[in-house]
Amino acid sequence: MSQRITVLVEHLEGQPTDVTFELLGLARRIAKTNGAAVEALLFGETVRHLAQTLPADRVVMVEHPLLRYLAPEATAITLTTLLRTDPPWLVLIPNTSLGMDVAAWVAATLDWPLIAYCEALEQHDGQLVATAQLFGGKILADVKLEDRPTVISALAGTFATDALPPAPPGTIEHRDPPAELAALRTRSVVLERPEAADVDITRAEKIVAVGRGIESKDNLELAEQVAEALGAVLAASRPLVDAGWLPRSRQVGKSGLKVKPKLYFALGISGAPEHLEGMKDAELIIAVNKDPKAPIFSVADYGVVADLFEVAEALLERLEG
Amino acid sequence: MTIVVVMEQVPDVVEELVIAPSGTDLDRDAVSYVINEYDDHALEEALLLAEATGDEVVAVGIDTTGELDQALYTALAKGARRAIKVTGDFEGAWLSTRAAAQLLVPVIKELDPRLVLTGVQAPDDLDGQLAPTLSALLGWPHASVVISSEIADGVVRARKELWAGITMTLELELPAVLGVQAARQAPRYVPISRVRQVMREASIETREVEPVGDLAPSLMRLRFPAETSQAEMLTGNASEIADRLIELLRARGLL
Ligand SMILES: Cc1cc2nc3c(=O)[nH]c(=O)nc-3n(C[C@H](O)[C@H](O)[C@H](O)COP(=O)(O)OP(=O)(O)OC[C@H]3O[C@@H](n4cnc5c(N)ncnc54)[C@H](O)[C@@H]3O)c2cc1C
C-alpha cells in the first residue's frame, strides 16, 4: 500500500462531471495533511484531451472502445486490475449511478472495506474519519479508516470544489487495457437522452415541489393551484414520478434534474439525500412537513411543521381571495 | 427457469429513529420494519419478466428480524412460486452488505437462476449496495439503477438510469444480477385476504446457515445530523403561517 489517494474520474460526453472535481478537491485536501499523492484514473475511449484538465499529481489513463461510457463491467474490471497491481491507501468513487455499479463490486472483489454514502472525510485527533449518510439522511455514521486500502463511495454535491489553488501539472501515464476486456459478458451499451420536455424546470424561477406527503394523484390539483397562484412550476420527488403522476422531466434530484430557482417550496418531501442533491442550492427554500425531524429542514431557510393540505389551502385562500 | 428476488426488511425511515445506548446501532426495539421499497420494485419487475417468459420467481430473504414471513407470504400472494427464508444466529443484528451477500450466495447457487434482482440500495447499507456485491461474489455481470428490463436470447436487456433522464441500456449475458430502482409499473397491490389465504395454503422454505465473520467497516458511532440548519421555523395556525409566507415572498420580490 502506498500513501496515495486514487480518484475514479467520471465523465459523460467529453466532460468530467462536477463530482469528479469535488473528489479530486477532497483528495487534495487530505493529501495536504499527510503528504499523500493524488492520482486520477481516467478511463474512456479517447480521453487524452481530458487528462490536462484534472488537478492531480498523476493521471493514469486507460483507453479502449469498451470503456467509452464507463459501463459497469468494463470499468470495474479495469479499475480492479490497476488497484490490485499497486494498491493505494484510499480509492474515491462517486456514489452516482455509474459509480454505484463499480464501488461495491471492486471492494468485494478485492476484499477491501467499503464505506458508502460518504458525505465527509475529516481528521479527528490524528485519525481519518468517514461520515456516511444512512436511513434516508436521518442518521450519520462515523467510521474509522483502518490502515489498509479502503474504497469510499462519496455523495455528489457535498464536497467543495472552490478555494483550491490550481494544481501544478502532473504526470500523465498511459496503461494498457486489461486482457479481460476481451471476454466481457456485457454485449452492448447504448446511451439515450430524453425527449424535450414541456417545461424546463431547471430554468424556472419559482418551483413548488411535492412529495409523497401529497398522498394521491387527485391531490396534485391542489399543489398545481398553489404553483399557479405563486407563478411557479410544479416539480416532484422521485416516487411521484415513478407512480406516473408527473412526467420524468419534473423530477428533482440525483437521478432527476438539478435546480437552482429563487424559490423552492417543498410540500411533503422528506429530504432524502438523493432529493437534496438536486435542490439544496436554491436561493430560498421553504419546507412544509409534518415530521419535525424531516431532513428537508436541514437545508431549508424557513420550515413549517404542519399538515401540507392546511397550509396549501390557507395560502390559496389568501392568494386567490 | 428461475428468477431470484432478494428481499430485505429495513427500518421504516418515516418513523422516528432512536440510537441504541451502544451508539453503534439503532434501538431495534423501537424500530418498525418495512420491506425495502426498492426490493418491492425488484419483485414487481421480476413478476413482469416472469409473466412474459414463464420463469418461476423465487423470493429469498435473510430473516434478521424474526418477522420476515409476512413479507415472503406477500411475495407469494403477488405471484412468486417459492419463498425461502435464510435463518441463523443473527436475529436483531445489523448485517453488513458483504456478510448478507456471503450468506445468500450458496442459496442463490442452489437455485441456479438465470437472473437475480434486488433493490438498488437500502437505507442501512453502510458498506455498499447488495446487487454489485452479489455480482462480484457470484462472478456474474450486473447493472444497477435499473428502471426496466427484458429477457431475450440468452441476455437480459436492462435500462439503467443515469441522471437528467439520460439512460444506458446494457445487454448482459445470463446469468446476471440487477439492482432495481423502479419497476416498469408501480408495485402491484395484493389484498390482505389473499395474503391470509396464501398463509394457509403455501409454506416458506427455510435454509439454516452458519453466520459469517463480521465484515462491517469499523463503525465508531451513529449520530443525528447536527442542527446546523439556519431554518427559521414558522409557527401558528395555518392562516397565520400563510400570512407569514406571503409576507416573506413579497419582501423578496417573489410575489
Ligand atoms: C439511485 C437513486 C436515485 C434517486 N434519485 C432521486 C431523485 O432524483 N429525486 C428524488 O426525489 N428521490 C430520488 N431517490 C429516492 C429518494 O431516496 C427518496 O426515496 C425520495 O426522495 C423520497 O421522496 P419523498 O420525500 O416524496 O417521500 P418520503 O420520503 O416518503 O417522504 C414523505 C414526507 O411527507 C411527509 N408528510 C406526509 N404526509 C404529510 C402531510 N399531510 N403534510 C405534511 N407532510 C407530510 C412525511 O413526514 C415525509 O417526510 C433516489 C433513490 C435512489 C436509490
Side-chain angles (χ1 to χ4, degrees):
Chain A
M1 178 177 95
S2 75
Q3 276 292 351
R4 201 167 86 244
I5 307 175
T6 293
V7 174
L8 178 66
V9 173
E10 183 186 69
H11 57 88
L12 193 72
E13 312 199 295
Q15 284 296 325
T17 53
D18 293 349
V19 66
T20 294
F21 294 104
E22 289 181 45
L23 297 194
L24 285 168
L26 172 66
R28 289 176 63 201
R29 278 194 299 278
I30 300 168
K32 238 170 72 185
T33 66
N34 66 1
V38 174
E39 172 186 70
L41 298 185
L42 175 60
F43 306 161
E45 188 174 21
T46 41
V47 284
R48 187 171 289 273
H49 60 290
L50 296 182
Q52 287 89 354
T53 68
L54 301 169
D57 300 313
R58 170 166 93 165
V59 178
V60 172
M61 213 163 41
V62 182
E63 293 183 316
H64 191 282
L66 290 171
L67 290 166
R68 175 160 178 208
Y69 297 123
L70 299 176
E73 197 186 12
T75 306
I77 286 176
T78 307
L79 181 58
T80 307
T81 309
L82 289 182
L83 295 176
R84 188 181 275 133
T85 343
D86 184 8
W89 169 44
L90 296 178
V91 187
L92 306 183
I93 299 178
N95 190 67
T96 53
S97 179
L98 291 173
M100 278 167 89
D101 269 335
V102 173
W105 195 95
V106 167
T109 301
L110 293 167
D111 202 16
W112 292 359
L114 165 67
I115 303 162
Y117 315 104
C118 179
E119 63 145 40
L121 198 52
E122 281 159 10
Q123 299 278 353
H124 291 285
D125 308 325
Q127 166 77 55
L128 197 60
V129 174
T131 302
Q133 280 183 13
L134 297 181
F135 302 105
K138 280 192 158 179
I139 300 270
L140 299 178
D142 291 331
V143 182
K144 194 165 66 191
L145 267 81
E146 304 289 336
D147 201 16
R148 56 175 292 197
T150 301
V151 182
I152 297 204
S153 86
L155 297 174
T158 33
F159 299 97
T161 47
D162 48 10
L164 276 171
T171 58
I172 298 176
E173 295 170 24
H174 211 277
R175 297 283 160 79
D176 289 334
E180 289 93 328
L181 290 190
L184 288 193
R185 280 155 307 158
T186 304
R187 296 236 191 110
S188 74
V189 181
V190 179
L191 215 63
E192 274 171 89
R193 17 206 75 260
E195 287 167 22
D198 58 335
V199 191
D200 183 355
I201 59 169
T202 64
R203 288 171 183 271
E205 285 210 337
K206 295 184 255 182
I207 291 178
V208 171
V210 284
R212 208 139 44 175
I214 198 83
E215 282 169 16
S216 74
K217 189 175 182 186
D218 291 344
N219 292 339
L220 274 184
E221 170 129 20
L222 178 64
E224 195 89 64
Q225 285 170 346
V226 173
E228 204 166 303
L230 291 172
V233 303
L234 189 64
S237 66
R238 167 150 206 142
L240 272 59
V241 173
D242 283 343
W245 297 355
L246 280 165
R248 222 15 102 195
S249 56
R250 304 287 183 119
Q251 181 185 320
V252 173
K254 178 190 182 88
S255 51
L257 293 158
K258 287 191 179 44
V259 298
K260 221 178 151 178
K262 292 198 168 124
L263 169 67
Y264 193 85
F265 189 36
L267 298 170
I269 293 179
S270 62
E274 294 85 3
H275 187 80
L276 300 187
E277 199 178 311
M279 47 62 73
K280 65 175 169 228
D281 293 331
E283 283 174 36
L284 177 69
I285 300 172
I286 303 176
V288 183
N289 195 304
K290 64 180 184 190
D291 174 7
K293 294 233 168 96
I296 188 86
F297 291 129
S298 70
V299 299
D301 299 283
Y302 294 93
V304 181
V305 178
D307 180 80
L308 73 90
F309 299 104
E310 286 179 19
V311 175
E313 268 152 24
L315 258 182
L316 264 188
E317 231 168 74
R318 296 283 182 300
L319 292 168
E320 291 180 337
Chain B
M1 281 173 279
T2 302
I3 299 176
V4 165
V5 182
V6 180
M7 309 194 67
E8 186 196 356
Q9 279 182 305
V10 296
D12 186 352
V13 300
V14 176
E15 301 287 323
E16 170 147 15
L17 302 173
V18 181
I19 295 170
S22 71
T24 53
D25 197 354
L26 297 180
D27 178 353
R28 297 277 157 179
D29 294 332
V31 164
S32 65
Y33 287 98
V34 289
I35 270 295
N36 178 21
E37 64 173 303
Y38 304 112
D39 294 349
D40 215 20
H41 280 271
L43 174 63
E44 181 62 35
E45 189 64 21
L47 293 170
L48 292 171
L49 284 170
E51 281 162 12
T53 59
D55 281 49
E56 181 177 85
V57 173
V58 183
V60 176
I62 303 174
D63 195 7
T64 53
T65 62
E67 296 172 12
L68 188 67
D69 286 12
Q70 180 73 22
L72 292 179
Y73 280 123
T74 306
L76 288 169
K78 287 183 175 184
R81 296 282 184 76
R82 292 168 66 191
I84 299 177
K85 172 168 77 167
V86 178
T87 60
D89 191 16
F90 36 67
E91 204 173 306
W94 181 2
L95 280 186
S96 68
T97 305
R98 201 79 62 84
Q102 294 205 352
L103 294 173
L104 288 163
V105 161
V107 180
I108 293 172
K109 284 194 173 148
E110 172 208 320
L111 292 167
D112 190 24
R114 56 174 174 168
L115 198 58
V116 177
L117 284 82
T118 191
V120 58
Q121 70 182 41
D124 61 353
D125 50 10
L126 174 59
D127 66 328
Q129 301 80 20
L130 183 61
T133 306
L134 278 175
S135 155
L137 300 188
L138 289 162
W140 300 348
H142 94 287
S144 289
V145 204
V146 167
I147 52 170
S148 70
S149 61
E150 183 191 356
I151 294 178
D153 308 327
V155 298
V156 59
R157 204 169 293 132
R159 191 144 180 239
K160 163 185 175 66
E161 194 171 47
L162 299 190
W163 50 81
I166 303 172
T167 61
M168 179 186 275
T169 302
L170 299 138
E171 268 185 15
L172 307 175
E173 282 173 26
L174 299 172
V177 181
L178 302 182
V180 176
Q181 161 91 61
R184 274 167 276 167
Q185 65 183 45
R188 64 196 64 190
Y189 170 78
V190 61
I192 192 76
S193 58
R194 173 81 191 110
V195 179
R196 290 224 182 85
Q197 187 189 346
V198 165
M199 289 171 87
R200 284 192 300 271
E201 290 167 1
S203 60
I204 292 170
E205 299 164 50
T206 303
R207 297 288 181 282
E208 173 91 26
V209 296
E210 290 297 318
V212 292
D214 182 19
L215 305 157
S218 325
L219 182 57
M220 294 160 65
R221 60 167 185 156
L222 298 181
R223 59 189 164 93
F224 294 106
E227 295 283 343
T228 47
S229 144
Q230 308 296 311
E232 182 182 332
M233 302 310 280
L234 308 181
T235 51
N237 62 33
S239 49
E240 287 161 1
I241 286 166
D243 286 338
R244 276 298 310 280
L245 290 176
I246 288 171
E247 204 177 290
L248 262 164
L249 296 176
R250 290 229 166 95
R252 286 165 197 254
L254 290 167
L255 260 187

